Amino acid sequence: LGHKRIHSVRTLGGNKKLRALRLDNGNFAWGSEGIAHKSRIIDVVYNATNNEMVRTKTLTKNTVVQIDAAPFRVWYEAHYALPLGRKNLSEKKFTDEEKAELPYLKKRSHRTQLKYNARRK
C-alpha cells in the first residue's frame, strides 16, 4: 500500500500508542485453523466508515483488506499434505527435484501417512 504512515497517540498517563494508518504488511490469523502468519497487504477492499478510506487505502479498525495467501498456502500444504490452489496436478509429470520440494509429493512411512490422513478428517 506504499510507505508506512504511523501516528503516535497520547493515551492515559502520558503513554503513547502507535496508530498505523498505512502499512505494507501485518500479522493475520486464519481463525478456523488456529494459525497466524505475517503477510503482505495487497489492497483495501471495504471500509464501513467511509468510501473515501477505501480510495485512499487508509487502514482503520474493521477494515477489510486483501492479503497475500502464500504463507497460509505453504502451511496448509505442509500440515495436510494436500495441494491448495494448484491447477492440473494430475496431468503434470514431476521430476525427482520437484517431488522433493513439494511437501504433498514426498514418499512417507506408513505411520506418518496415517498421521496426515487423520488430519484430513
Side-chain angles (χ1 to χ4, degrees):
L1 291 179
H3 63 284
K4 289 183 182 180
R5 186 188 302 163
I6 300 174
H7 291 175
S8 62
V9 179
R10 185 187 183 277
T11 60
L12 199 63
N15 297 319
K16 293 197 183 277
K17 282 184 180 178
L18 297 176
R19 179 168 293 154
L21 299 176
R22 184 164 295 155
L23 290 173
D24 55 351
N25 57 28
N27 199 32
F28 296 95
W30 189 354
S32 61
E33 296 294 333
I35 61 161
H37 284 288
K38 191 170 187 177
S39 184
R40 189 172 60 93
I41 299 173
I42 296 173
D43 195 15
V44 174
V45 178
Y46 176 74
N47 194 327
T49 307
N50 194 344
N51 284 335
E52 179 75 12
M53 292 186 174
V54 176
R55 191 181 62 76
T56 59
K57 301 185 187 322
T58 301
L59 299 176
T60 59
K61 193 172 177 181
N62 290 329
T63 298
V64 178
V65 295
Q66 183 178 8
I67 63 169
D68 181 23
F72 295 101
R73 181 186 303 118
V74 169
W75 176 85
Y76 187 92
E77 289 176 349
H79 187 75
Y80 291 108
L82 287 173
L84 181 68
R86 307 224 184 232
K87 296 180 181 177
N88 301 331
L89 286 179
S90 59
E91 300 170 5
K92 187 176 179 185
K93 303 297 181 202
F94 292 101
T95 64
D96 292 336
E97 296 167 356
E98 289 175 331
K99 285 183 181 179
E101 184 180 317
L102 298 173
Y104 48 86
L105 295 176
K106 285 183 184 174
K107 183 95 171 127
R108 293 187 174 84
S109 67
H110 179 69
R111 185 75 182 161
T112 308
Q113 190 59 45
L114 288 176
K115 178 179 78 170
Y116 282 109
N117 291 343
R119 284 180 180 173
R120 292 176 188 169
K121 291 182 181 177

